[in-house]
Amino acid sequence: MAAPVHIPTPDSNAATSTVYHASPPLGLVAIIFTVLFGAGLSFVISFGTGQPNFPGPWESADTIVTYFQTHSWPVLKCAFFQFGAAIALGEFAISTMSRLLFLG
């Protein structure tokens, strides 16, 4: 639920006038982004020594190609969750901008 914003009109009592901004709670959208971003990384990052890590840009081309050929399913799951996180981040940015314009 959005927090109430008190905007007085010229001919009314300021204590009785309440206007609500119609956007999702920013905290909830930020939590959704964080969960989706972390879930996407969990498929391609290993903290143990047994599994290979996602290759960095400094790796050789053969290492990168081999990783993507042998680990295509985890990379696709990572891309799916990262795309969802990008949508949540866009919603957060748009809602924040809209609230700033609404508040003046």
Side-chain angles (χ1 to χ4, degrees):
M1 179 179 246
V5 176
H6 300 286
I7 300 176
T9 57
D11 58 348
S12 70
N13 186 0
T16 60
S17 178
T18 303
V19 179
Y20 292 97
H21 187 265
S23 70
L26 294 179
L28 179 63
V29 178
I31 290 171
I32 291 171
F33 165 76
T34 304
V35 168
L36 288 173
F37 189 82
L41 289 180
S42 69
F43 293 108
V44 293
I45 293 178
S46 62
F47 293 107
T49 58
Q51 296 180 343
N53 290 329
F54 197 84
W58 57 86
E59 301 284 344
S60 67
D62 293 334
T63 304
I64 295 171
V65 168
T66 303
Y67 180 83
F68 283 101
Q69 286 176 345
T70 58
H71 297 90
S72 61
W73 187 242
V75 170
L76 287 174
K77 289 190 280 188
C78 172
F80 174 77
F81 283 106
Q82 294 298 315
F83 182 71
I87 292 172
L89 181 62
E91 176 65 32
F92 181 83
I94 290 171
S95 295
T96 303
M97 182 194 70
S98 176
R99 283 187 184 203
L100 288 172
L101 292 174
F102 179 76
L103 294 173

